[in-house]
Amino acid sequence: MLGLVFAPCALALTPALGFELDRYMGSWYEIAAIPGFLQSKCARDTQSEYSPAENGALAVITRCMRGDGTAETRESRTRPLEASVPAVLRVTAVKFLGIWWYPLGRESIVIAFDPDYRWIALGHPSLRYARILSRTPTLADDAAKSAAAALAAHHFDLCA
């Protein structure tokens, strides 16, 4: 034995059963995040608006405040990878020649949500990006604990 140590592989995320894409529409506030590249530009007050877009996609307008106090606004698109599993989404912020380039996007998997869609927990299979979103700017402690527990159960580092 050579004494090699291998890092554990990212575990597959289990998409939430019963997730309805239509109920994802509307305003969401970011309560907590393990930020990805685009989210790292935002320091606070992140809010996203989801609305119907072309070809079954959702248009996403995200607004936030940067660390220097300036406003940031960006547009993206998200759509299910497969219609039969709406909780597995592909998100892209790359638009070129009037076309949204989904192959250059990344996956976002809904791993848990409140039955009344008051909160939602999403993550990336790499376990390096995750978000807890709420319909309101704050989330009750019990709801926040449920969302965080869902991320922890999928092996996300809550300290990140």
Side-chain angles (χ1 to χ4, degrees):
M1 186 89 171
L2 297 172
L4 297 175
V5 177
F6 293 96
C9 296
L11 302 173
L13 298 180
T14 304
L17 296 176
F19 176 73
E20 298 173 31
L21 194 61
D22 289 347
R23 296 190 68 188
Y24 196 28
M25 304 291 180
S27 294
W28 290 92
Y29 297 86
E30 188 175 88
I31 300 301
I34 302 170
F37 173 73
L38 292 175
Q39 290 89 11
S40 66
K41 295 180 178 183
C42 296
R44 65 181 195 286
D45 303 331
T46 302
Q47 182 181 3
S48 297
E49 181 73 29
Y50 293 79
S51 61
E54 64 284 337
N55 302 320
L58 302 181
V60 185
I61 303 294
T62 301
R63 294 176 178 84
C64 66
M65 296 301 290
R66 291 175 171 239
D68 65 5
T70 59
E72 168 83 13
T73 300
R74 67 180 170 272
E75 183 177 4
S76 60
R77 291 290 187 273
T78 187
R79 68 178 186 195
L81 280 176
E82 295 181 33
S84 62
V85 188
V88 179
L89 304 166
R90 173 69 77 168
V91 181
T92 186
V94 179
K95 186 176 183 182
F96 182 67
L97 300 174
I99 298 170
W100 291 96
W101 293 80
Y102 289 96
L104 301 177
R106 68 171 190 212
E107 287 182 26
S108 183
I109 299 174
V110 177
I111 59 172
F113 61 94
D114 176 76
D116 295 321
Y117 287 75
R118 291 179 292 201
W119 61 264
I120 192 166
L122 307 102
H124 185 268
S126 70
L127 306 181
R128 288 186 266 157
Y129 321 111
R131 301 172 77 195
I132 296 173
L133 305 177
S134 170
R135 292 288 188 185
T136 57
T138 59
L139 194 55
D141 284 346
D142 60 332
K145 287 178 184 175
S146 294
L151 292 176
H154 281 82
H155 306 282
F156 283 93
D157 179 2
L158 298 185
C159 293

